[in-house]
Amino acid sequence: MLNFDWAAGISQETAKMIFFGLYLIIGALVLLLPTEYIYQGIPKEKRSWYHNLKIWSWAVLGILATVYYLF
Amino acid sequence: MLAGIDYFIVIAYIVGMLLLGLYFKKFVNTSEDYFLGGKSLPFWAIGMSIVVSDIGALDFVGVSGQAYRYGVSVGNFDWVGSVPAMLLAAFIFIPYFWRGGMYTIPEYLGRRYNKSVRTIASATWILFFALDLGVLFWASAVLLNVLMGWPIWISILSTAGVVGLYTYFGGITAVIMTDVVQMIIMFVGGFALVFLGLHAVGGWENMVEKISTMGPEYQSHFDIIQPSDTTSPFPWTGILFGLTFVMANAYMIGNQSIVQRCLTAKNEWHAKASMIFGSALKMFIPILVLFPGLMAVVVHPDLADGDQALPMMIKSILPPGLVGLMFAAFFAGLMSSVDSLLNSTATLFTKDIYEPFIKKGASDKHYLKVGQITTLILLIFGVATSPISSDFPGIYVAIQTFMSYFQGPLFAILLLGIFWKRTTQWGGLSALIIGIAFAVFLNVFKEHFFHIEDPFLYISWWSFLVGFVINIVVSLCTKKHSEKELQGLVFNAKIVTENTSI
């Protein structure tokens, strides 16, 4: 049990899909965050699209998924 | 080994760091300036600092060595081992700590659980950070001894002198701003090696083809996902459960030297952005540290020790000038690790030990002085204990391994502490103690329980799980905290829907 023997039958391709699934879940959770919370700290009149941390997060997750797709 | 221009680059780098660090002395007037940079720093500087503190010179050599032996799967540590955890930290934990005006992670644990949990967590970090200091001083001395021919003790004293001076006077602002320059040097030196290395092996595709035809042991060298029954230390089950779910989170959320940087941010947006920016930079780290190891498989296929991969690549690939830059990058990695340890340990001692137990209610200037004196004492301790590394060469690995056993239970109490109101002080305390004891037990008898080479990922997961369950069971059996006691310490949907401060 300590060695995760139950996972021995799972192929590497399926395991990779589990990782992709994880990135998608994280991305979806980030999208659920209220916009006000994302901009907290930036005065309303100074807010711009590049302050949107949801875009930052999706960009980072996108690069991460690409790396796992390539390898 | 170094040419004239290389000597010049290394010495110019050392002197430059000293002057830059000392420049920030003028910004230190209060203890908040010293420990939290006056809460004035921008996200880009903090993000760069997180990355450079995380990757030291010893990791440069070690990760390249592992890439030489096991292939790209070691890259998981900087890819999936960073991004999810840094996003969780950015959006959930860091805003809590930042709004709460906290200085240390144990301070949160103390408020959420009790003084004992705070003291155990803080004392453990202080012990490991202090021991690490001596190891790092020795490593930098060996580096300077080999490169510049300086005697070991002169090398140790010069490293301690340079890093100690700017950390003592400039506090965390000096630490972070020197880290920015150190990261740029690391990236320039590292990418130069990768670029020239790729040229030497005939390009990426040629390298992949050559390695893939070198024998059955290289068949999975380019598979980032390793099967769960692999004998290498990185099966996908360990990467997912041990690394992604536990160790990465414990490191990014529970490590004082990482979190303290985010607490220096000028506002909450910068605190969150620093983590996400850091996670973007972290994805380049495997290119710098992993690719040279892979290239060495082609250029130097018969190395007895994988850790020789990076030094051999530097020696055989880089021209004069770039060799100096690469060694400046090594030195940058060491210096950034040392200055982080010094400042974080001084913060932990002042805030979690000195202030609550030795002298409560003193003036701010007093605590600033205590922080500076602690930095000085740590410096002396680090120098005095550095020869231990010479007598016990495995001490660095031993310290890191033991640290990893502390992380599972620590993350269990942080996670339940912030997300479950019913968690009690006794639940947290038992989880921490029993979880650490269980990790030690698994490590001692690892040959009986595990069939992979070094099961630290599995041990982290199981010790986390034991800590998690113990925390729940003991909490349910003990008196719960009142709403008033938990105010601002437990996750509440209001934090993300209302503009409220804790």
Side-chain angles (χ1 to χ4, degrees), chain A residues 1-13 15-16 18-19 22-23 26 30 33-34 36-43 50-54 56-57 59-61 63-64 67-68 70-71, chain B residues 43 72 76 79-80 83-84 87 91 95 99 204 222-228 236-237 239-241 244-245 267-269 272-273 276-277 279-280 283 442 449-451 458 461-462 495-497 499:
Chain A
M1 187 187 81
L2 295 181
N3 288 290
F4 290 85
D5 307 316
W6 55 269
I10 298 174
S11 69
Q12 282 166 271
E13 287 71 29
K16 200 178 258 194
I18 293 172
F19 280 87
L22 178 71
Y23 306 150
I26 296 168
V30 169
L33 290 168
E36 183 60 32
Y37 182 62
I38 294 297
Y39 287 108
Q40 196 76 257
I42 306 279
Y50 56 79
H51 290 120
N52 188 340
L53 296 177
K54 288 184 189 182
W56 292 34
S57 305
V60 173
L61 286 167
I63 300 170
L64 184 66
V67 168
Y68 279 75
L70 291 173
F71 291 109
Chain B
F43 77 89
V72 297
N76 279 305
W79 287 322
V80 73
V83 175
L87 293 182
F91 290 121
R99 289 184 190 189
W204 176 261
F222 290 93
D223 292 338
I224 197 159
I225 302 291
Q226 297 288 317
S228 64
W236 73 266
T237 38
I239 294 295
L240 185 66
F241 291 94
T244 312
F245 290 159
N267 62 38
E268 190 180 316
W269 184 86
K272 289 174 188 156
I276 306 174
F277 181 61
S279 74
M283 282 193 290
L442 286 181
F449 294 120
F450 302 103
H451 53 60
Y458 284 162
W461 166 256
W462 293 117
I495 191 176
V496 294
T497 54
N499 186 9

Side-chain angles (χ1 to χ4, degrees), chain B residues 163 166-167 175 178-179 182 335-343:
Chain B
V163 182
Y166 74 69
T167 311
V175 169
T178 50
D179 280 354
Q182 286 162 354
M335 285 172 79
S336 70
S337 304
V338 172
D339 62 24
S340 302
L341 291 180
L342 280 176
N343 190 264

Side-chain angles (χ1 to χ4, degrees), chain B residues 89-159:
Chain B
F91 290 121
I92 302 294
F93 287 86
I94 296 298
Y96 254 88
F97 299 150
W98 193 90
R99 289 184 190 189
M102 288 167 204
Y103 282 75
T104 69
I105 302 300
E107 187 181 346
Y108 169 79
L109 293 173
R111 288 193 206 176
R112 178 63 184 85
Y113 293 104
N114 61 27
K115 240 182 185 180
S116 305
V117 176
R118 178 182 186 174
T119 309
I120 290 174
S122 192
T124 310
W125 280 118
I126 290 171
L127 178 71
F128 287 123
F129 281 173
L131 286 174
D132 247 1
L133 267 176
V135 178
L136 291 172
F137 276 136
W138 188 261
S140 58
V142 170
L143 191 67
L144 281 176
N145 178 257
V146 172
L147 292 177
M148 319 288 277
W150 295 358
I152 287 284
W153 275 105
I154 299 288
S155 303
I156 289 176
L157 290 174
S158 45
T159 311

Side-chain angles (χ1 to χ4, degrees), chain B residues 415-456:
Chain B
L415 195 67
L416 280 170
I418 209 158
F419 283 113
W420 195 42
K421 274 184 178 180
R422 188 64 183 81
T423 317
T424 67
Q425 53 177 323
W426 302 116
L429 189 61
S430 334
L432 194 60
I433 294 170
I434 297 174
I436 293 173
F438 185 67
V440 173
F441 169 77
L442 286 181
N443 182 47
V444 171
F445 298 103
K446 61 186 172 193
E447 283 81 13
H448 300 284
F449 294 120
F450 302 103
H451 53 60
I452 60 174
E453 214 172 286
D454 182 4
F456 67 101

Side-chain angles (χ1 to χ4, degrees), chain B residues 194-210 295 298-299 317:
Chain B
V194 169
F195 181 76
L196 293 173
L198 274 177
H199 182 70
V201 298
W204 176 261
E205 285 182 5
N206 198 34
M207 178 181 76
V208 174
E209 197 184 317
K210 278 184 181 166
M295 293 162 193
V298 176
V299 181
I317 300 283

Side-chain angles (χ1 to χ4, degrees), chain B residues 241-376:
Chain B
F241 291 94
L243 177 67
T244 312
F245 290 159
V246 179
M247 284 186 75
N249 289 310
Y251 187 77
M252 292 300 170
I253 295 161
N255 186 321
Q256 175 66 20
S257 66
I258 298 292
V259 174
Q260 192 180 344
R261 282 163 164 68
C262 298
L263 302 179
T264 66
K266 60 169 93 171
N267 62 38
E268 190 180 316
W269 184 86
H270 279 267
K272 289 174 188 156
S274 66
M275 266 287 177
I276 306 174
F277 181 61
S279 74
L281 293 174
K282 280 278 282 177
M283 282 193 290
F284 292 97
I285 295 295
I287 299 174
L288 305 181
V289 297
L290 186 155
F291 284 18
L294 293 174
M295 293 162 193
V297 177
V298 176
V299 181
H300 303 286
D302 300 316
L303 292 178
D305 179 7
D307 288 352
Q308 287 295 313
L310 189 65
M312 292 300 285
M313 286 298 288
I314 292 171
K315 202 173 166 184
S316 57
I317 300 283
L318 291 183
L322 281 179
V323 174
L325 191 68
M326 195 63 211
F327 280 118
F330 267 138
F331 208 61
L334 278 166
M335 285 172 79
S336 70
S337 304
V338 172
D339 62 24
S340 302
L341 291 180
L342 280 176
N343 190 264
S344 295
T345 316
T347 311
L348 286 166
F349 176 77
T350 310
K351 288 290 168 187
D352 296 326
I353 308 290
Y354 187 85
E355 201 173 322
F357 292 110
I358 300 173
K359 192 163 184 176
K360 255 185 200 164
S363 70
D364 186 70
K365 287 277 176 215
H366 179 79
Y367 293 126
L368 169 63
K369 205 73 215 158
V370 171
Q372 289 180 315
I373 292 170
T374 308
T375 304
L376 197 64

